[in-house]
Amino acid sequence: MRVALFIPCYVDQFYPQVGIASLQLLQKLGVQAHFPAQQTCCGQPLANSGCERDALPIYRHFVDTFHRYDYIVAPSGSCVYHVRQHFDKLAQTPEVQHVRAATYDLIDFITQVLGVTELPGRFPHKVGLHLSCHGQRGLHQANESEITPVRDGQLRRLLASLDGIELTELDRNDECCGFGGTFCISEAAISARMGQDRVQDHLRNGTTVLTGGDMSCLMHLQGLIRRRQLPLKVLHAVEILNGISC
Amino acid sequence: MSHSARAATFVADAERTTWHDETLWFVRQKRDKAVYAVPEFQQLRELASQIKDHTLSRLDEYLQQFEAAARRNGVHVHWAADAQEHNALVLDLIRRHGATRIVKSKSMLTEECHLNPHLIGHGIEVIDTDLGERIIQLREEAPSHLVLPAIHLKKEDVGDTFHRHLGTEKGNHDPQQLTEAARQHLRAKFLAAEVAISGVNFAVAETGGVVICTNEGNADLGVNLAKVHIASMGIEKLIPRLTDLGVFTRLLARSATGQPVTTYTSHYTQPAEGREMHIVIVDNGRTQQLGRPDFRASLKCIRCGACMNTCPVYRRSGGHSYDFTVPGPIGAILSPNIDLKKHSSLPFASTLCGSCTDVCPVKIDIHTQLYKWRQVLAEAGEIPTAKKWSMKFMGRFLASPKAFGLGGKMARTGLRLLPYQLTHATAFNAWAVARELPEPPQQSFRDWYRETVR
C-alpha cells in the first residue's frame, strides 16, 4: 500500500508538530507514509474566494504530485473535502478521478481504511471536540444535530478509547467556529464573535484541552484564546492520538 | 455597503448580539425537538424536494392548470411580470372598488415588490396585520426575518414604539399588555377594511385554491371581513395536487418554529356570495432564476426561515445586514439573481458550514449554491480588487513548490523577527483585530522531514 502524506500548506509552515504526529501515528499503525516534497496546497483558499479559475494550476499540481499513490492522507477534513468535491472543475481523467477518490482525512483513513476503532494510550484530561464543518457535514465524520440527537462519530470514538479521557458535552454540539477560510478576514467581526462564542461554550462546559481534526479551525480558535489568555490548551487530535502528554 | 460592514455595526452591540443569537438558537432547538419526534422526517424532506423539483420542471403546465381551475371557481386571475406590474394591478383593483382602507396579512412577495409605499403614495391606507409586521411598519423598518419579522427588536423597543404610535403607557414593556393594545388597534382596522391583501403559502394546481398559513389568524380575519380578497403569489408557490399539501404543512411549521403545524392553515378556493377573490401571479425575476441550472433549486424554498435560525452568521449579524427582502442563507442565493452588483457580498457572508442545507425542509443545496455564486461573482469582476489580485498571485505561488517553500520560510522568519506592533497592526491585518497570529516554528514540516526521514 503506497500512502502519501498531504500536509496542508499552513500546517506545513506553522504546525509541523501536527505533520510529525500524523506520520508517527501512521507508522505505529503499520503504514509507512511518504511525504512527496513537491506538494504545496489544495487550492481551497482561492476557490472559496470565488477564484476557482486561478486555483486550477494548483489542482493540477496536486494531481501530478499524488496520483501515483494508493492513498493520499491529510490531517484536515476541510482540504480533503475540497479535493473530493471541487476538483470536479478539472477534466476527469483517470488520474483526477483516482486522486479525488483516494484522498482521505487521516481519521477517516484510520477508521475506515485501516479499520482501527480504538487506540492505546492515556490522556487524563477534559477534552472538548471541535469538528470542522467540512469534516462533519461534508465528509460525514459525525452525526449532525440537524438530523439526529444521537452524538456519534469516528473521532469521538477514537478519543473516547483513550484511558482517563473525558469528553465535554457542549451546549451547541456542532456550531461553526467562524473561521471559514478568507471569511475570517472579509467578515472579521462576525468571524471573531463566532469563535469567541465557540470558546465560551467549551469553557462553560469544562474543556481544558480543545481538539479537532482540522488545524484551520483550531488556528483561529487558538488565536482568540491567546489574545484573551484563556485557560485552554489547543491540540490537533492526531497529537493526542499519537500519545502527546500535557 | 457590504454585508460585512453592516454586520460589524450589528455585532458591535455585544449584548444585543448575544440576545439575538440566543433567541434564534432557541427556535432552532425547538425545531430540532419537533424534527427528532418525527421518525420519517428525512423521508418527508426527500419527498418534498422531489415534488418541488418535479413542479419546477413543468411549471408552465402547472401554472396553466392552476389558472384554469381558479377561473372555474370564480376567481379572477392576473399575471404580473415584475414588481411594477404587480403594484399597478393591485392599485387598480383597489381603485375599481373605490377602496381606501386595506388590511394586509404577511406576504414576503408584497415586501419584495414594495407594495406598501406604492399604495400609500397613492393615498391608500395599508395596515399590516401580522403583529411583527405591524411593529416594524410603525417603525418604518423592513422585516429582518421571514417568519419573525421583528426578531431584531426587544420588548422594550416594542413598548417604546407602541407608546409613540398607539398611545400605550410610557415604559410599559409587558408583552401581554402590548399584544392587547395591538389587538384593539388592529380590530378597528379589520372592521373598517374594504380590501384584504394576503400572501400565499401554497397554490394547488389541481384545485385552483390557495393555502395560507398563519399563527395569528390575521389573514382569515382580514379575508372574511373584507369584500375583496387579493392574494399575491410568486410563480414558485405551486404544488401539483391537494394530496401533496400534507407533506409541506408537516415540514413548514416544524422547520419554522418547531410547531407540529401552524395554528391556522386556511384554504381559499372561491369567493363567498357577493364577494370577490383575485389572485395575482408574479414572476419578478423567478423565470430568470429558473433558467440558471446551478441556482434553480433556490425556487423550491417554502419560506420557513430555518436556514436563518441555524445560520451562525445570520444569528450574529441580524437580518438587516443582508439588505434584501429575504435575508439569511436563502436570501444570499436569491438576491444575486435580482442584482448581482448590489448583493455581491452576500454569497461571501457565510463560512459554508452547511447547516443551512441540512435544516432545509425541501433540501435546497444552499451552501453549494453560495459557493457557486462566488465563482460567478469573481468571473463577473464583482469581488474586491485586492482580493482578485492576491488570489491571482496565490495561484502562481501555490502551484510552485520552490516559491512555496521559500515564501513560507520568509513568512515564518518575518513573523519571528518583526516587532509585534507591526505583525499585529490591525490597519492591514484583519486577522489580528481579535486574534494572535500563530507562533512561527523554527522549522517547517518539509524541512523536518528532509532532515529527519531522508
Side-chain angles (χ1 to χ4, degrees), chain B residues 259-271:
Chain B
Q259 294 165 271
V261 72
T262 49
T263 315
Y264 302 91
T265 299
S266 305
H267 297 244
Y268 297 98
T269 310
Q270 57 185 38

Side-chain angles (χ1 to χ4, degrees), chain B residues 98-243:
Chain B
T100 54
R101 287 165 300 185
I102 315 296
V103 286
K104 182 163 77 65
S105 76
K106 206 159 164 325
S107 148
M108 293 313 286
L109 177 63
T110 57
E111 287 291 332
E112 175 188 321
C113 295
H114 303 291
L115 178 67
N116 282 13
H118 181 76
L119 295 182
I120 292 164
H122 285 89
I124 312 277
E125 181 194 73
V126 195
I127 304 294
D128 280 313
T129 58
D130 172 271
L131 178 57
E133 290 281 343
R134 184 63 185 139
I135 293 166
I136 56 167
Q137 187 185 26
L138 290 171
R139 297 171 63 95
E140 297 183 15
E141 288 178 5
S144 72
H145 187 287
L146 281 179
V147 177
L148 314 158
I151 197 67
H152 58 291
L153 300 172
K154 295 187 175 189
K155 60 179 192 284
E156 288 79 10
D157 301 322
V158 178
D160 295 345
T161 305
F162 279 15
H163 168 65
R164 214 160 340 134
H165 295 280
L166 304 184
T168 55
E169 195 190 336
K170 193 177 168 69
N172 184 348
H173 307 140
D174 177 61
Q176 206 164 351
Q177 290 180 25
L178 292 177
T179 310
E180 186 55 30
R183 187 173 282 143
Q184 295 303 333
H185 158 74
L186 285 173
R187 184 162 298 165
K189 300 296 181 186
F190 278 123
L191 289 169
E194 298 145 314
V195 173
I197 300 174
S198 78
V200 168
N201 288 92
F202 304 99
V204 185
E206 172 190 54
T207 65
V210 297
V211 179
I212 302 171
C213 306
T214 70
N215 276 325
E216 297 168 22
N218 55 310
D220 309 86
L221 265 177
V223 170
N224 287 309
L225 286 168
K227 272 215 167 81
V228 181
H229 174 199
I230 305 172
S232 293
M233 60 174 264
I235 55 171
E236 82 286 12
K237 292 292 175 185
L238 279 177
I239 55 172
R241 302 162 304 182
L242 196 57
T243 49

Side-chain angles (χ1 to χ4, degrees), chain B residues 240-346:
Chain B
R241 302 162 304 182
L242 196 57
T243 49
D244 299 321
L245 183 67
V247 175
F248 293 96
T249 50
R250 291 187 77 192
L251 289 166
L252 178 66
R254 283 185 172 87
S255 299
T257 56
Q259 294 165 271
V261 72
T262 49
T263 315
Y264 302 91
T265 299
S266 305
H267 297 244
Y268 297 98
T269 310
Q270 57 185 38
E273 192 76 29
R275 305 276 181 91
E276 270 184 36
M277 181 174 166
H278 296 262
I279 297 176
V280 189
I281 303 174
V282 186
D283 182 342
N284 206 35
R286 286 161 178 76
T287 47
Q288 181 176 270
Q289 188 85 327
L290 197 63
R292 302 181 195 263
D294 282 346
F295 308 109
R296 177 178 299 154
S298 63
L299 294 176
K300 288 154 73 176
C301 177
I302 58 171
R303 304 290 192 264
C304 69
C307 62
M308 294 160 203
N309 303 336
T310 204
C311 179
V313 177
Y314 174 92
R315 272 188 264 116
R316 290 168 181 87
S317 65
H320 289 155
S321 66
Y322 293 81
D323 193 24
F324 185 65
T325 315
V326 180
I330 181 70
I333 59 174
L334 289 171
S335 58
N337 173 58
I338 305 294
D339 189 337
L340 193 71
K341 202 180 219 18
K342 184 184 176 204
H343 303 297
S344 62
S345 66
L346 296 190

Side-chain angles (χ1 to χ4, degrees), chain A residues 183 185-191 194, chain B residues 1-11 20 144 311-324 326-329 331-332 335 341-351 370 374 384:
Chain A
F183 175 86
I185 301 296
S186 62
E187 290 263 4
I190 298 294
S191 169
M194 285 167 68
Chain B
M1 206 196 261
S2 67
H3 176 272
S4 67
R6 286 186 295 262
T9 314
F10 188 85
V11 83
H20 191 260
S144 72
C311 179
V313 177
Y314 174 92
R315 272 188 264 116
R316 290 168 181 87
S317 65
H320 289 155
S321 66
Y322 293 81
D323 193 24
F324 185 65
V326 180
S335 58
K341 202 180 219 18
K342 184 184 176 204
H343 303 297
S344 62
S345 66
L346 296 190
F348 293 94
S350 166
T351 60
L370 288 169
R374 293 181 183 188

Side-chain angles (χ1 to χ4, degrees), chain B residues 351-364:
Chain B
T351 60
L352 305 179
C353 79
S355 187
C356 47
T357 301
D358 273 355
V359 295
C360 179
V362 290
K363 285 195 159 181
I364 302 171

